[in-house]
Amino acid sequence: MTNEGLAEALEQLKQSYGDVTTAAGGPGQTLIRIKEVGLPKGCAPGSTPVLLVVQDGQRPQLYVKGGITLPNGRVPRNYTANQVVGEEWWSFSYSFSWDENAYTLVQFVEASLRRFAKTE
């Protein structure tokens, strides 16, 4: 993602979610922290902090805080703890097509979190 594209994406994230901060990660990497994003109806809790890791030329990585349960009360499958920038964040497996030239980071966040609407 170009610097201009990233600046535009950050503005869109702020418009959608309010409290959004950034930090530099490793080389070519930007860390974007969103204070709260709503989860699908029936999930507990109803929202979660989100960490996006944007790396030049790669699909973004999305992490959430632990403790999320699905609408059926179960813990999602393939939901694992990771250390990211010295803090515990949780990743999960969910596949959908992604093209940074066709979709926004807001759409990426929303599509990723729809995974929690699936009961399993």
PDB file of all heavy atoms in Angstrom, residues 1-14 20 22-24 28-32 52-56 60 100 105:
ATOM      1  N   MET A   1       0.848  -1.167   0.000  1.00  0.00           N
ATOM      2  CA  MET A   1       0.000   0.000   0.000  1.00  0.00           C
ATOM      3  C   MET A   1       0.896   1.232   0.000  1.00  0.00           C
ATOM      4  O   MET A   1       1.826   1.311   0.796  1.00  0.00           O
ATOM      5  CB  MET A   1      -0.906  -0.045   1.241  1.00  0.00           C
ATOM      6  CG  MET A   1      -1.910   1.053   1.298  1.00  0.00           C
ATOM      7  SD  MET A   1      -3.095   0.872   2.668  1.00  0.00           S
ATOM      8  CE  MET A   1      -4.084  -0.482   2.084  1.00  0.00           C
ATOM      9  N   THR A   2       0.615   2.161  -0.871  1.00  0.00           N
ATOM     10  CA  THR A   2       1.414   3.380  -0.939  1.00  0.00           C
ATOM     11  C   THR A   2       1.156   4.252   0.289  1.00  0.00           C
ATOM     12  O   THR A   2       0.156   4.077   0.989  1.00  0.00           O
ATOM     13  CB  THR A   2       1.056   4.199  -2.201  1.00  0.00           C
ATOM     14  OG1 THR A   2      -0.290   4.679  -2.056  1.00  0.00           O
ATOM     15  CG2 THR A   2       1.193   3.372  -3.471  1.00  0.00           C
ATOM     16  N   ASN A   3       2.032   5.216   0.527  1.00  0.00           N
ATOM     17  CA  ASN A   3       1.840   6.137   1.650  1.00  0.00           C
ATOM     18  C   ASN A   3       0.536   6.911   1.507  1.00  0.00           C
ATOM     19  O   ASN A   3      -0.169   7.132   2.485  1.00  0.00           O
ATOM     20  CB  ASN A   3       3.022   7.095   1.773  1.00  0.00           C
ATOM     21  CG  ASN A   3       4.258   6.416   2.325  1.00  0.00           C
ATOM     22  OD1 ASN A   3       4.168   5.366   2.960  1.00  0.00           O
ATOM     23  ND2 ASN A   3       5.406   7.002   2.083  1.00  0.00           N
ATOM     24  N   GLU A   4       0.229   7.335   0.270  1.00  0.00           N
ATOM     25  CA  GLU A   4      -1.025   8.048   0.028  1.00  0.00           C
ATOM     26  C   GLU A   4      -2.221   7.145   0.282  1.00  0.00           C
ATOM     27  O   GLU A   4      -3.208   7.548   0.887  1.00  0.00           O
ATOM     28  CB  GLU A   4      -1.079   8.583  -1.409  1.00  0.00           C
ATOM     29  CG  GLU A   4      -0.152   9.745  -1.661  1.00  0.00           C
ATOM     30  CD  GLU A   4      -0.166  10.167  -3.126  1.00  0.00           C
ATOM     31  OE1 GLU A   4      -0.877   9.569  -3.948  1.00  0.00           O
ATOM     32  OE2 GLU A   4       0.554  11.129  -3.444  1.00  0.00           O
ATOM     33  N   GLY A   5      -2.131   5.910  -0.192  1.00  0.00           N
ATOM     34  CA  GLY A   5      -3.209   4.948   0.018  1.00  0.00           C
ATOM     35  C   GLY A   5      -3.410   4.656   1.495  1.00  0.00           C
ATOM     36  O   GLY A   5      -4.538   4.545   1.970  1.00  0.00           O
ATOM     37  N   LEU A   6      -2.315   4.546   2.230  1.00  0.00           N
ATOM     38  CA  LEU A   6      -2.397   4.283   3.656  1.00  0.00           C
ATOM     39  C   LEU A   6      -3.018   5.469   4.389  1.00  0.00           C
ATOM     40  O   LEU A   6      -3.861   5.295   5.271  1.00  0.00           O
ATOM     41  CB  LEU A   6      -1.019   3.954   4.223  1.00  0.00           C
ATOM     42  CG  LEU A   6      -0.977   3.540   5.682  1.00  0.00           C
ATOM     43  CD1 LEU A   6      -1.869   2.325   5.948  1.00  0.00           C
ATOM     44  CD2 LEU A   6       0.447   3.248   6.102  1.00  0.00           C
ATOM     45  N   ALA A   7      -2.638   6.688   4.020  1.00  0.00           N
ATOM     46  CA  ALA A   7      -3.211   7.883   4.652  1.00  0.00           C
ATOM     47  C   ALA A   7      -4.717   7.939   4.425  1.00  0.00           C
ATOM     48  O   ALA A   7      -5.486   8.235   5.346  1.00  0.00           O
ATOM     49  CB  ALA A   7      -2.531   9.137   4.119  1.00  0.00           C
ATOM     50  N   GLU A   8      -5.157   7.632   3.218  1.00  0.00           N
ATOM     51  CA  GLU A   8      -6.586   7.612   2.904  1.00  0.00           C
ATOM     52  C   GLU A   8      -7.295   6.503   3.690  1.00  0.00           C
ATOM     53  O   GLU A   8      -8.375   6.714   4.244  1.00  0.00           O
ATOM     54  CB  GLU A   8      -6.797   7.407   1.407  1.00  0.00           C
ATOM     55  CG  GLU A   8      -8.247   7.457   0.987  1.00  0.00           C
ATOM     56  CD  GLU A   8      -8.429   7.301  -0.515  1.00  0.00           C
ATOM     57  OE1 GLU A   8      -7.513   7.663  -1.277  1.00  0.00           O
ATOM     58  OE2 GLU A   8      -9.500   6.808  -0.913  1.00  0.00           O
ATOM     59  N   ALA A   9      -6.676   5.332   3.765  1.00  0.00           N
ATOM     60  CA  ALA A   9      -7.257   4.212   4.508  1.00  0.00           C
ATOM     61  C   ALA A   9      -7.397   4.554   5.988  1.00  0.00           C
ATOM     62  O   ALA A   9      -8.410   4.231   6.611  1.00  0.00           O
ATOM     63  CB  ALA A   9      -6.396   2.962   4.330  1.00  0.00           C
ATOM     64  N   LEU A  10      -6.399   5.221   6.552  1.00  0.00           N
ATOM     65  CA  LEU A  10      -6.465   5.619   7.957  1.00  0.00           C
ATOM     66  C   LEU A  10      -7.607   6.589   8.203  1.00  0.00           C
ATOM     67  O   LEU A  10      -8.317   6.486   9.206  1.00  0.00           O
ATOM     68  CB  LEU A  10      -5.139   6.230   8.403  1.00  0.00           C
ATOM     69  CG  LEU A  10      -3.989   5.254   8.571  1.00  0.00           C
ATOM     70  CD1 LEU A  10      -2.678   5.999   8.778  1.00  0.00           C
ATOM     71  CD2 LEU A  10      -4.256   4.307   9.714  1.00  0.00           C
ATOM     72  N   GLU A  11      -7.788   7.521   7.297  1.00  0.00           N
ATOM     73  CA  GLU A  11      -8.895   8.477   7.436  1.00  0.00           C
ATOM     74  C   GLU A  11     -10.241   7.747   7.394  1.00  0.00           C
ATOM     75  O   GLU A  11     -11.141   8.043   8.180  1.00  0.00           O
ATOM     76  CB  GLU A  11      -8.813   9.546   6.342  1.00  0.00           C
ATOM     77  CG  GLU A  11      -9.789  10.671   6.537  1.00  0.00           C
ATOM     78  CD  GLU A  11      -9.655  11.375   7.887  1.00  0.00           C
ATOM     79  OE1 GLU A  11      -8.528  11.558   8.385  1.00  0.00           O
ATOM     80  OE2 GLU A  11     -10.703  11.731   8.452  1.00  0.00           O
ATOM     81  N   GLN A  12     -10.381   6.786   6.498  1.00  0.00           N
ATOM     82  CA  GLN A  12     -11.622   6.002   6.412  1.00  0.00           C
ATOM     83  C   GLN A  12     -11.849   5.187   7.689  1.00  0.00           C
ATOM     84  O   GLN A  12     -12.978   5.092   8.178  1.00  0.00           O
ATOM     85  CB  GLN A  12     -11.585   5.071   5.197  1.00  0.00           C
ATOM     86  CG  GLN A  12     -11.641   5.792   3.884  1.00  0.00           C
ATOM     87  CD  GLN A  12     -11.329   4.886   2.703  1.00  0.00           C
ATOM     88  OE1 GLN A  12     -10.914   3.741   2.856  1.00  0.00           O
ATOM     89  NE2 GLN A  12     -11.525   5.413   1.499  1.00  0.00           N
ATOM     90  N   LEU A  13     -10.777   4.602   8.235  1.00  0.00           N
ATOM     91  CA  LEU A  13     -10.897   3.845   9.480  1.00  0.00           C
ATOM     92  C   LEU A  13     -11.341   4.756  10.623  1.00  0.00           C
ATOM     93  O   LEU A  13     -12.205   4.390  11.419  1.00  0.00           O
ATOM     94  CB  LEU A  13      -9.572   3.161   9.826  1.00  0.00           C
ATOM     95  CG  LEU A  13      -9.174   1.976   8.951  1.00  0.00           C
ATOM     96  CD1 LEU A  13      -7.707   1.602   9.185  1.00  0.00           C
ATOM     97  CD2 LEU A  13     -10.076   0.780   9.206  1.00  0.00           C
ATOM     98  N   LYS A  14     -10.775   5.953  10.695  1.00  0.00           N
ATOM     99  CA  LYS A  14     -11.158   6.915  11.738  1.00  0.00           C
ATOM    100  C   LYS A  14     -12.616   7.329  11.592  1.00  0.00           C
ATOM    101  O   LYS A  14     -13.323   7.459  12.591  1.00  0.00           O
ATOM    102  CB  LYS A  14     -10.243   8.134  11.694  1.00  0.00           C
ATOM    103  CG  LYS A  14      -8.849   7.843  12.197  1.00  0.00           C
ATOM    104  CD  LYS A  14      -7.938   9.038  12.053  1.00  0.00           C
ATOM    105  CE  LYS A  14      -6.524   8.676  12.484  1.00  0.00           C
ATOM    106  NZ  LYS A  14      -5.584   9.783  12.311  1.00  0.00           N
ATOM    107  N   VAL A  20      -8.457   5.589  16.320  1.00  0.00           N
ATOM    108  CA  VAL A  20      -7.512   4.786  15.537  1.00  0.00           C
ATOM    109  C   VAL A  20      -6.119   5.400  15.711  1.00  0.00           C
ATOM    110  O   VAL A  20      -5.955   6.604  15.535  1.00  0.00           O
ATOM    111  CB  VAL A  20      -7.895   4.771  14.035  1.00  0.00           C
ATOM    112  CG1 VAL A  20      -6.852   4.035  13.216  1.00  0.00           C
ATOM    113  CG2 VAL A  20      -9.270   4.169  13.835  1.00  0.00           C
ATOM    114  N   THR A  22      -1.693   4.738  15.040  1.00  0.00           N
ATOM    115  CA  THR A  22      -0.723   3.991  14.229  1.00  0.00           C
ATOM    116  C   THR A  22       0.651   4.013  14.897  1.00  0.00           C
ATOM    117  O   THR A  22       0.956   4.884  15.701  1.00  0.00           O
ATOM    118  CB  THR A  22      -0.581   4.591  12.816  1.00  0.00           C
ATOM    119  OG1 THR A  22      -0.085   5.927  12.926  1.00  0.00           O
ATOM    120  CG2 THR A  22      -1.891   4.582  12.074  1.00  0.00           C
ATOM    121  N   ALA A  23       1.447   3.034  14.512  1.00  0.00           N
ATOM    122  CA  ALA A  23       2.843   2.955  14.944  1.00  0.00           C
ATOM    123  C   ALA A  23       3.611   2.230  13.854  1.00  0.00           C
ATOM    124  O   ALA A  23       3.046   1.449  13.096  1.00  0.00           O
ATOM    125  CB  ALA A  23       2.957   2.214  16.271  1.00  0.00           C
ATOM    126  N   ALA A  24       4.898   2.498  13.801  1.00  0.00           N
ATOM    127  CA  ALA A  24       5.748   1.776  12.861  1.00  0.00           C
ATOM    128  C   ALA A  24       6.038   0.401  13.439  1.00  0.00           C
ATOM    129  O   ALA A  24       6.247   0.246  14.640  1.00  0.00           O
ATOM    130  CB  ALA A  24       7.048   2.532  12.628  1.00  0.00           C
ATOM    131  N   GLY A  28       8.836  -1.574   6.417  1.00  0.00           N
ATOM    132  CA  GLY A  28       7.693  -1.600   5.507  1.00  0.00           C
ATOM    133  C   GLY A  28       6.390  -2.001   6.172  1.00  0.00           C
ATOM    134  O   GLY A  28       5.436  -2.374   5.503  1.00  0.00           O
ATOM    135  N   GLN A  29       6.325  -1.916   7.489  1.00  0.00           N
ATOM    136  CA  GLN A  29       5.161  -2.395   8.229  1.00  0.00           C
ATOM    137  C   GLN A  29       4.560  -1.259   9.054  1.00  0.00           C
ATOM    138  O   GLN A  29       5.273  -0.499   9.697  1.00  0.00           O
ATOM    139  CB  GLN A  29       5.609  -3.522   9.161  1.00  0.00           C
ATOM    140  CG  GLN A  29       4.528  -4.308   9.806  1.00  0.00           C
ATOM    141  CD  GLN A  29       5.104  -5.424  10.661  1.00  0.00           C
ATOM    142  OE1 GLN A  29       5.741  -5.150  11.684  1.00  0.00           O
ATOM    143  NE2 GLN A  29       4.919  -6.652  10.234  1.00  0.00           N
ATOM    144  N   THR A  30       3.228  -1.163   9.027  1.00  0.00           N
ATOM    145  CA  THR A  30       2.501  -0.196   9.841  1.00  0.00           C
ATOM    146  C   THR A  30       1.515  -0.953  10.724  1.00  0.00           C
ATOM    147  O   THR A  30       0.809  -1.838  10.251  1.00  0.00           O
ATOM    148  CB  THR A  30       1.729   0.811   8.942  1.00  0.00           C
ATOM    149  OG1 THR A  30       2.661   1.474   8.095  1.00  0.00           O
ATOM    150  CG2 THR A  30       0.987   1.831   9.780  1.00  0.00           C
ATOM    151  N   LEU A  31       1.490  -0.599  11.995  1.00  0.00           N
ATOM    152  CA  LEU A  31       0.560  -1.181  12.947  1.00  0.00           C
ATOM    153  C   LEU A  31      -0.575  -0.189  13.169  1.00  0.00           C
ATOM    154  O   LEU A  31      -0.328   0.974  13.487  1.00  0.00           O
ATOM    155  CB  LEU A  31       1.265  -1.465  14.273  1.00  0.00           C
ATOM    156  CG  LEU A  31       2.544  -2.287  14.183  1.00  0.00           C
ATOM    157  CD1 LEU A  31       3.228  -2.357  15.534  1.00  0.00           C
ATOM    158  CD2 LEU A  31       2.256  -3.670  13.647  1.00  0.00           C
ATOM    159  N   ILE A  32      -1.789  -0.645  12.981  1.00  0.00           N
ATOM    160  CA  ILE A  32      -2.965   0.209  13.137  1.00  0.00           C
ATOM    161  C   ILE A  32      -3.830  -0.393  14.242  1.00  0.00           C
ATOM    162  O   ILE A  32      -4.294  -1.520  14.123  1.00  0.00           O
ATOM    163  CB  ILE A  32      -3.770   0.289  11.825  1.00  0.00           C
ATOM    164  CG1 ILE A  32      -2.889   0.802  10.686  1.00  0.00           C
ATOM    165  CG2 ILE A  32      -5.009   1.171  12.018  1.00  0.00           C
ATOM    166  CD1 ILE A  32      -3.521   0.672   9.308  1.00  0.00           C
ATOM    167  N   LEU A  52      -4.440  -4.092  13.196  1.00  0.00           N
ATOM    168  CA  LEU A  52      -4.149  -4.413  11.800  1.00  0.00           C
ATOM    169  C   LEU A  52      -2.651  -4.259  11.580  1.00  0.00           C
ATOM    170  O   LEU A  52      -2.071  -3.248  11.987  1.00  0.00           O
ATOM    171  CB  LEU A  52      -4.858  -3.442  10.856  1.00  0.00           C
ATOM    172  CG  LEU A  52      -6.321  -3.645  10.599  1.00  0.00           C
ATOM    173  CD1 LEU A  52      -6.888  -2.435   9.852  1.00  0.00           C
ATOM    174  CD2 LEU A  52      -6.560  -4.897   9.797  1.00  0.00           C
ATOM    175  N   VAL A  53      -2.050  -5.241  10.960  1.00  0.00           N
ATOM    176  CA  VAL A  53      -0.650  -5.157  10.582  1.00  0.00           C
ATOM    177  C   VAL A  53      -0.616  -5.078   9.065  1.00  0.00           C
ATOM    178  O   VAL A  53      -0.988  -6.030   8.372  1.00  0.00           O
ATOM    179  CB  VAL A  53       0.158  -6.366  11.094  1.00  0.00           C
ATOM    180  CG1 VAL A  53       1.608  -6.256  10.657  1.00  0.00           C
ATOM    181  CG2 VAL A  53       0.042  -6.482  12.610  1.00  0.00           C
ATOM    182  N   VAL A  54      -0.215  -3.910   8.574  1.00  0.00           N
ATOM    183  CA  VAL A  54      -0.172  -3.671   7.132  1.00  0.00           C
ATOM    184  C   VAL A  54       1.287  -3.721   6.703  1.00  0.00           C
ATOM    185  O   VAL A  54       2.119  -2.954   7.189  1.00  0.00           O
ATOM    186  CB  VAL A  54      -0.808  -2.302   6.784  1.00  0.00           C
ATOM    187  CG1 VAL A  54      -0.728  -2.031   5.294  1.00  0.00           C
ATOM    188  CG2 VAL A  54      -2.247  -2.249   7.276  1.00  0.00           C
ATOM    189  N   GLN A  55       1.589  -4.652   5.814  1.00  0.00           N
ATOM    190  CA  GLN A  55       2.949  -4.875   5.314  1.00  0.00           C
ATOM    191  C   GLN A  55       2.949  -4.622   3.820  1.00  0.00           C
ATOM    192  O   GLN A  55       2.062  -5.115   3.113  1.00  0.00           O
ATOM    193  CB  GLN A  55       3.375  -6.320   5.604  1.00  0.00           C
ATOM    194  CG  GLN A  55       4.737  -6.697   5.102  1.00  0.00           C
ATOM    195  CD  GLN A  55       5.840  -6.205   6.016  1.00  0.00           C
ATOM    196  OE1 GLN A  55       5.706  -6.242   7.230  1.00  0.00           O
ATOM    197  NE2 GLN A  55       6.926  -5.756   5.435  1.00  0.00           N
ATOM    198  N   ASP A  56       3.930  -3.872   3.329  1.00  0.00           N
ATOM    199  CA  ASP A  56       4.024  -3.591   1.897  1.00  0.00           C
ATOM    200  C   ASP A  56       3.880  -4.857   1.071  1.00  0.00           C
ATOM    201  O   ASP A  56       4.569  -5.843   1.312  1.00  0.00           O
ATOM    202  CB  ASP A  56       5.373  -2.938   1.557  1.00  0.00           C
ATOM    203  CG  ASP A  56       5.476  -1.517   2.074  1.00  0.00           C
ATOM    204  OD1 ASP A  56       4.446  -0.911   2.384  1.00  0.00           O
ATOM    205  OD2 ASP A  56       6.620  -1.016   2.158  1.00  0.00           O
ATOM    206  N   PRO A  60      -3.201  -7.622   4.583  1.00  0.00           N
ATOM    207  CA  PRO A  60      -3.113  -7.204   5.985  1.00  0.00           C
ATOM    208  C   PRO A  60      -3.392  -8.383   6.917  1.00  0.00           C
ATOM    209  O   PRO A  60      -4.073  -9.342   6.548  1.00  0.00           O
ATOM    210  CB  PRO A  60      -4.222  -6.154   6.121  1.00  0.00           C
ATOM    211  CG  PRO A  60      -4.524  -5.719   4.730  1.00  0.00           C
ATOM    212  CD  PRO A  60      -4.227  -6.886   3.848  1.00  0.00           C
ATOM    213  N   GLU A 100      -6.222  -5.052  -2.478  1.00  0.00           N
ATOM    214  CA  GLU A 100      -6.147  -3.710  -1.887  1.00  0.00           C
ATOM    215  C   GLU A 100      -6.512  -2.603  -2.871  1.00  0.00           C
ATOM    216  O   GLU A 100      -6.839  -1.498  -2.451  1.00  0.00           O
ATOM    217  CB  GLU A 100      -4.772  -3.449  -1.282  1.00  0.00           C
ATOM    218  CG  GLU A 100      -3.670  -3.216  -2.294  1.00  0.00           C
ATOM    219  CD  GLU A 100      -2.349  -2.887  -1.627  1.00  0.00           C
ATOM    220  OE1 GLU A 100      -1.957  -3.579  -0.682  1.00  0.00           O
ATOM    221  OE2 GLU A 100      -1.704  -1.931  -2.080  1.00  0.00           O
ATOM    222  N   LEU A 105      -9.596  -0.792   3.684  1.00  0.00           N
ATOM    223  CA  LEU A 105      -9.280  -1.473   4.941  1.00  0.00           C
ATOM    224  C   LEU A 105     -10.522  -1.597   5.821  1.00  0.00           C
ATOM    225  O   LEU A 105     -10.651  -2.559   6.574  1.00  0.00           O
ATOM    226  CB  LEU A 105      -8.170  -0.744   5.694  1.00  0.00           C
ATOM    227  CG  LEU A 105      -6.741  -1.012   5.227  1.00  0.00           C
ATOM    228  CD1 LEU A 105      -5.736  -0.250   6.090  1.00  0.00           C
ATOM    229  CD2 LEU A 105      -6.416  -2.492   5.244  1.00  0.00           C
TER     230      LEU A 105
END
